[in-house]
Amino acid sequence: MSGAVLLERERLTSGTTWHTAGLLWQLRPSDVEVELLAHTRRVVSRELEEETGLHTGWIQNGGLFIASNRQRLDEYKRLMSLGKAYGVESHVLSPAETKTLYPLMNVDDLYGTLYVPHDGTMDPAGTCSTLARAASARGAQVIENCPVTGIRVWTDDFGVRRVAGVETQHGSIQTPCVVNCAGVWASAVGRMAGVKVPLVAMHHAYVVTERIEGIQNMPNVRDHDASVYLRLQGDALSVGGYEANPIFWEEAVKSRTGAAGGLCLKTSTVKGCTVRSDDLRRA
Ligand SMILES: Cc1cc2nc3c(=O)[nH]c(=O)nc-3n(C[C@H](O)[C@H](O)[C@H](O)COP(=O)(O)OP(=O)(O)OC[C@H]3O[C@@H](n4cnc5c(N)ncnc54)[C@H](O)[C@@H]3O)c2cc1C
């Protein structure tokens, strides 16, 4: 890692990461994703802490997928088999077993659920600062408040464009290699090198509930048919929905510095992004 430099326009996590739900579901339909998620879980729940002595804030409260029709339950049974192949413990539960696990849940119209006890919730700030600490200890440099303003490129004898360096407000860095990890701003950074990044930003709405008695330690919940997730947040829930007809951004707004920091929209500007009351009928 020696020689690697991370340039951050503002502060670490000030982009999308600071307000992520941080849900880590280990079982996904693609085996590549299952392996990637297993790796992430290992790093966040164990290896980073062993390496740095710092807790990343990982909470292993489990994950619960809701099946409100037979096809969805069949899909979850397949996910359970996939999990077995990769050593991910999971259980398909009946509505009654789900009620025992999650007494607050309305299970009347459920076909069943998929319970993954070692799923959990990542803390964005804790994970990022621990990652930065581990990288710095291995020789990397993290430079905040240093926007990348340009990427110098040249064309080799075969007509292939190559990176020569990175420009910032504070000087330039010569390098043949740039990793574009600017999130929703990746297209803008790509353009600096004449590269089109096929990435589209869209609005996303979530609400945080008041305190709910008895919700502590319950698993996170994902209902794929209702396109909604319920993230445990202490003794409350953060509820987010994926809109069927999302609003796209031409260009992501610039993150703003301030007390809250980062990328955020005022509720009044999130027109059309709604978490329907129907989405909340489970809790
Ligand atoms: C409400 C919500 C819930 C989510 N829930 C989940 C979830 O449960 N599970 C999950 O896996 N994902 C979730 N996501 C998605 C996840 O948060 C993002 O995929 C992730 O945070 C993106 O991280 P990133 O580092 O790629 O981008 P960012 O965190 O946006 O980081 C990009 C950084 O690049 C910097 N930057 C931009 N331009 C420049 C420049 N010119 N020079 C230098 N720096 C620059 C920005 O300041 C920013 O800090 C959720 C997102 C939201 C909004």
Side-chain angles (χ1 to χ4, degrees):
M1 189 154 307
S2 177
V5 181
L6 174 64
L7 298 172
E8 165 54 52
R9 175 170 65 187
E10 295 184 358
R11 305 295 304 273
L12 287 184
T13 76
S14 67
T16 303
T17 296
W18 75 271
H19 63 154
T20 182
L23 304 168
L24 193 146
W25 320 99
Q26 292 173 88
L27 290 182
R28 306 285 277 237
S30 128
D31 46 1
V32 174
E33 275 188 283
V34 173
E35 284 191 58
L36 272 173
L37 285 159
H39 170 76
T40 304
R41 192 188 163 284
R42 256 195 325 275
V43 168
V44 171
S45 67
R46 206 184 60 226
E47 292 175 1
L48 269 176
E49 188 164 350
E50 284 168 3
E51 191 168 328
T52 62
L54 298 172
H55 185 42
T56 59
W58 164 255
I59 300 172
Q60 189 178 294
N61 55 319
L64 197 63
F65 285 175
I66 302 284
S68 41
N69 56 60
R70 188 162 298 285
Q71 290 82 354
R72 191 63 80 183
L73 193 59
D74 288 345
E75 181 194 333
Y76 292 163
K77 286 176 182 165
R78 283 196 296 276
L79 280 186
M80 187 173 77
S81 307
L82 183 66
K84 270 195 187 134
Y86 282 97
V88 179
E89 181 188 344
S90 68
H91 308 272
V92 171
L93 304 182
S94 67
E97 289 168 326
T98 305
K99 188 78 182 168
T100 307
L101 175 75
Y102 202 134
L104 293 182
M105 186 176 287
N106 172 15
V107 297
D108 293 349
D109 57 347
L110 283 190
Y111 271 73
T113 53
L114 178 67
Y115 175 49
V116 185
H118 296 118
D119 278 357
T121 317
M122 292 167 61
D123 172 54
T127 303
C128 269
S129 55
T130 316
L131 269 174
R133 185 75 68 89
S136 304
R138 291 186 186 201
Q141 273 187 76
V142 178
I143 305 176
E144 293 178 299
N145 299 308
C146 186
V148 172
T149 52
I151 297 174
R152 267 184 292 118
V153 290
W154 61 285
T155 306
D156 71 12
D157 295 342
F158 301 100
V160 177
R161 266 181 313 164
R162 307 255 177 214
V163 169
V166 171
E167 306 291 345
T168 79
Q169 289 172 349
H170 306 288
S172 58
I173 298 174
Q174 280 187 29
T175 175
C177 178
V178 168
V179 178
N180 180 356
C181 52
V184 288
W185 299 277
S187 301
V189 171
R191 275 198 299 276
M192 295 177 189
V195 173
K196 188 166 165 39
V197 178
L199 189 145
V200 181
M202 65 181 78
H203 293 228
H204 176 67
Y206 66 96
V207 294
V208 181
T209 67
E210 302 275 337
R211 178 172 191 273
I212 302 173
E213 189 60 44
I215 201 87
Q216 293 98 320
N217 305 319
M218 290 294 111
N220 300 314
V221 175
R222 181 85 167 87
D223 187 334
H224 289 96
D225 291 302
S227 283
V228 69
Y229 62 83
L230 280 66
R231 172 205 198 255
L232 186 76
Q233 196 156 312
D235 56 4
L237 285 178
S238 166
V239 184
Y242 298 102
E243 299 77 28
N245 187 17
I247 302 171
F248 295 102
W249 268 335
E250 277 296 305
E251 191 74 57
V253 289
K254 243 186 139 185
S255 65
R256 63 181 168 82
T257 19
L263 178 71
C264 197
L265 291 175
K266 286 192 207 133
T267 319
S268 59
T269 65
V270 193
K271 291 192 201 109
C273 291
T274 48
V275 179
R276 295 166 296 141
S277 58
D278 195 34
D279 296 337
L280 299 172
R281 69 186 190 282
R282 290 276 164 241

